Amino acid sequence: MSRFVRGTIEVAVAMAVRGTYTYALPEALAPIAVAGARVLVSFGRRRVTGYVLGPGAPPEQKEIKPVLEVLDDEPIFPAAMIPLFRWAADYYKHPLGAVIQTALPGGLTVAESPEWRITDAGRAELDADRLPAQEARVLAILARKRVGARLGSKVPREMLSSLERRGFILRTQKLQTGGAKALQVRWVRLAPGAPADSSLTPKRRALRDAVAAAGELPVHALAAQAPHVRSQLRALEGSGHVEIFERRLYRDPFGEAIIPDAAPMLTADQEAVVAGVCDALGRGFRSFLLNGVTGSGKTEVYLRVAALAMAAGQSVLVLVPEIALITQTERCFRARFGDQVAVLHSGLSAGERFDQWTRILNGQMRVAIGVRSAVFAPFSDLGVVIVDEEHDSSYKQEGGLHYSARDLAVVRAQQSGAVALLGSATPSLQSYYNVRCGKYSELTLPGRIEARPLPEVRTVDLRRCRDLRGPGRFISAELNRALAETLGRGEQALLFLNRRGFANFPVCSACGSAMRCRHCDISLTLHQAANAYRCHYCGFSLPGTAACTACGAGQIKRLGMGTEKVEAAIRALFPEARVARMDRDTTRHRGDILRLLKGLREHAIDVLIGTQMVTQGHDFPGITLVGIICADLSLSFPDFRAGERTFQLLSQVAGRAGRGDRPGQVILQTYNPEHFSIRAACTQDFTAFYEQEIAFRKALGYPPVTRLIQLRLSGRDARSTRQQALALGGELQALRAADAGFAESIQILGPIEAPVARIAGQFRWQILIKSPQSAILHRFVDQVLAAHPHGTTRQRVRLAVDVDPMFLM
Ligand SMILES: [Zn+2]
Ligand SMILES: [Zn+2]
C-alpha cells in the first residue's frame, strides 16, 4: 500500500468526465488518502466523490484545489485493480471514474445535486400576481416544496437563472450520501384472530383466500395478478383480516442446509484437463478454453482447479452468466469450500453486497461467484479466473459501461499473472478462433460422465404441419407421441420455445395491420395470463380487449406463438400432466426460479415449458425428452451472429436431455431442416459448425477475423437524429480519407437506420466501424470521440459507443 506524505494525488471523479484530476493533499489527510480510498473533492461548483489512484503530477504554478475529506478509513478497492480500471476506461471509451463506480457495489457514491427553493421576495411576487403564467407556475410549485435536479430538466435553464437573478428563487447544493442499506420487501399473511369473512366484497374475499392459501407471500406477487390489489390489501389490513410485514429480499438458496461433499473420482478425461491447468498455475498468465460436451462434468474440473489455487494461497473468481445459475454453482462450491465462498449479484441487498465485498477485500473469502459485475471482485492475489458458459451473451453489458465480462476476465487474469479458464459445450467463435491462433490452449472433455450417451436428436420438418389447424401446427404427431410415451413412463419432458407470451403477432382481421407499440417500431405481444398486449422493448401495454391500433376494429386474430400458447396446448392435450412454465413472465422474483427448479428436481412437474432460461447449464436429471417447438426463431435476426446463436441455443437445450441414469431423446421441429446451424446442433458437432461459420465470417470480414466498434445515435426528433447521423458519417469519411493508415484498414458501414428504428420514442441510427487491426480501429474512434467529448452531437442527439458489440439490433 503506497502512502504519499504530502503534495498531490491523482483522482478519478465519479462523473461522466474523461481523464483524471490532480488535487492537493492537506498533510493531516495524507495518512489515509491512499490509493483505493474515496475522497470528497470540489469539481466545478459541486462537491463529488473521487477515487484516489496514486501520487499526482508535481504541482505547477496554478492553484490546485485541496481534497476536502477522505471518506474511508481503509481503501475500498485494492490498488492492484487500478490498471484494470484504466484498461477498461480506455478500451471501452468510458470515463474512468464511471468505470470505478460501475465496479464498486452500489450505494457508495456521494453526490451533490442542485436544489431550488422560493425566497420571501418570490412569495411576495407570486402573491402580487404580476408574473407571466409560466414563471408563476414554477414559483407556485416551489412555494409548496423544494425541488431537486428534476426541476432543471423540466424548466428552461434561462428562466431559472432569470428568476434567480431577480432574487425570487435560491439555488443551493444538497449533498446526498449514498446509503447502502438492506432491501426490504413487503409480505402479507392472515392476521392472527382474523374476523370471519362474511362481510367482505367478492374481490376482497378472493384476495383474503389467496393469502390464506399461500400462508405468506410477497405483496408484489399478488399485485402482479390483478389491478388495485395494493389498495384492497390496505383495506383488508385496516379491517384486521391480514397483516403486512417487511422481509429482507435475500434468502439462502433453497433455504436448505448445504451438506459438505467429498471430491468424487475423476474420469480420465477430467484428470487430464485438471493436470493441464495445474501445470500452468502459479507460473504466470495463461488462457485455457475448456471445450466439453453437455453433461461432461466441467463443474468438477472448476472445483479441482479452485482447490489447487487455494492450496497455493491464491484466490479464485468464478463468473456465471445468469443469477439463476449462481444457485447451482454456489451450492457446489459451498459444499466443497464452506464459508470461504462469497456470492456477488443483484439479488443481494446493497448492504449484503457491500458486506461480501468487504470480506473479499479483507481476504476472508477466497472464492467469489457472481454474474458479470463480479469480474470486479476486489481480490489482490488472484490465482485463477473461471468463466463458465463463456459463449453466453449475458456477459455483455448493454448500457452504461458496455463491457464484456468474459473479455475483461481474461484481461484481469493477464494483469494478475493468473490462469483464465473459459468453459463451454458450445464455445464462442471468438474463443475457439483464439485457440486456432494459439492465444488460448484447448482442453477437451469429449464424453459425458459415467459414459452416458449424448441424446439422440430427431428432426421434424414443420413445413408438413403448415396446413393443420389448432395445436397440430406446432406440436407435431412425433412430438405428441414422444410426450405421451415419456409421461407414460413417469419421466419428465422439457419443451423449448424462445419466445414468451401467447401470440407475438396479433393482427386485425378488418384491416390486416399488426397491433403495434405506440413508442417503438415493433409489434405487441399478447399475454393471455395478464390479458394484455405488451411491448417487449419498452414495457408499453394495452388491455387485452383493446381495438386495432390502426383502424379501431375489435376483431384481433392471435397469430404467432409464444410459451403461453404452448402451455395452453399441452394442458389441453395432456390434462393429467403437471405443467409449468419458466420464462421472464413467471420468474420475476428470485424465489420463482428456485421454486421451479425445486419442483423439477422433486418431480412435482412433468412438463416444463421455457424460453432460453432453460438452456443455461441447469442440471435436470429427470428429463429424458426435450422438444424444440421451433428451432428457427433466432435464425432470421439481421445479425451476423444469428447462426452462431442458433447453434448454441439448440445444442444447449438438446444437452438438457438424459443427464440422469436414463438415456435422453430430442425432437427438433424446424422449417429449415437443411440449415447447417441446425444440422450441426443435431449432431452436437461443434467443429463442423465452426469450420463452416468461420469461412463465412472470413468471406464477409466479420469478427472474430475483424474487430467492430458501433456508434449509436438516438434522439426524440426523427429529422435531427437522421441529420446528425449523416453528419457524423461525413465526419468519419473525412477522417478516414485524411490518413493513409486509416484509409487502408478502416471500413465504415452506414450510417443506417437501426433494424428496430424506434424504441421507447427514441429514433435510432447506427454506424459500424470495422478493421482487421484493433489498434488502428481504436485510434480512429478515439479521434472521432475527441470531437464529441460529452457523448452527444448537437440538437439533443445522444451518441453511444459500443466496442465489440454483441447485438446489432
Ligand atoms: Zn415499445
Ligand atoms: Zn385494423
Side-chain angles (χ1 to χ4, degrees), residues 517-522 524 535-540 758-760:
C517 176
R518 189 176 295 164
H519 313 291
C520 307
D521 189 16
I522 207 84
L524 296 170
C535 170
H536 287 183
Y537 282 80
C538 75
F540 171 76
R758 191 174 57 124
I759 292 181

Side-chain angles (χ1 to χ4, degrees), residues 430-453:
Q430 177 73 57
S431 295
Y432 201 71
Y433 182 72
N434 286 337
V435 167
R436 290 290 175 91
C437 298
K439 279 170 80 177
Y440 294 179
S441 311
E442 189 185 19
L443 301 165
T444 52
L445 291 174
R448 286 187 158 185
I449 49 167
E450 295 171 15
R452 288 172 192 157

Side-chain angles (χ1 to χ4, degrees), residues 195-262:
D197 56 352
S198 54
S199 61
L200 292 174
T201 62
K203 264 190 194 154
R204 285 186 193 167
R205 187 180 311 165
L207 203 54
R208 180 202 177 277
D209 292 347
V211 172
E216 295 178 349
L217 80 172
V219 170
H220 54 68
L222 278 172
Q225 288 164 17
H228 311 306
V229 161
R230 288 175 201 275
S231 58
Q232 300 274 14
L233 278 178
R234 267 196 302 277
L236 282 170
E237 189 187 22
S239 56
H241 285 92
V242 304
E243 61 183 14
I244 293 173
F245 58 101
E246 301 219 309
R247 180 172 277 177
R248 270 196 154 175
L249 184 62
Y250 177 69
R251 287 168 299 168
D252 262 6
F254 292 107
E256 295 166 9
I258 295 169
I259 301 155
D261 77 344

Side-chain angles (χ1 to χ4, degrees), residues 686-749:
F686 174 75
T687 318
F689 171 75
Y690 176 84
E691 297 302 347
Q692 191 146 1
E693 183 70 17
I694 198 76
F696 154 77
R697 303 276 177 98
K698 278 180 180 152
L700 297 179
Y702 273 117
V705 291
T706 60
R707 298 299 192 99
L708 294 180
I709 294 180
Q710 191 176 51
L711 304 182
R712 296 186 188 140
L713 294 104
S714 55
R716 296 219 155 257
D717 182 61
R719 231 185 93 231
S720 65
T721 310
R722 179 173 178 276
Q723 275 172 356
Q724 295 301 315
L726 296 178
L728 184 61
E731 255 175 68
L732 297 186
Q733 293 295 356
L735 184 62
R736 179 180 177 275
D739 179 316
F742 289 157
E744 193 184 324
S745 165
I746 300 279
Q747 202 185 340
I748 299 164
L749 306 174

Side-chain angles (χ1 to χ4, degrees), residues 157-174:
R157 183 172 294 239
E158 306 79 63
M159 187 192 291
L160 284 177
S161 43
S162 158
L163 285 169
E164 199 181 336
R165 259 198 321 277
R166 285 180 282 161
F168 299 150
I169 62 173
L170 192 66
R171 180 191 146 113
T172 53
Q173 296 289 351
K174 197 174 104 186

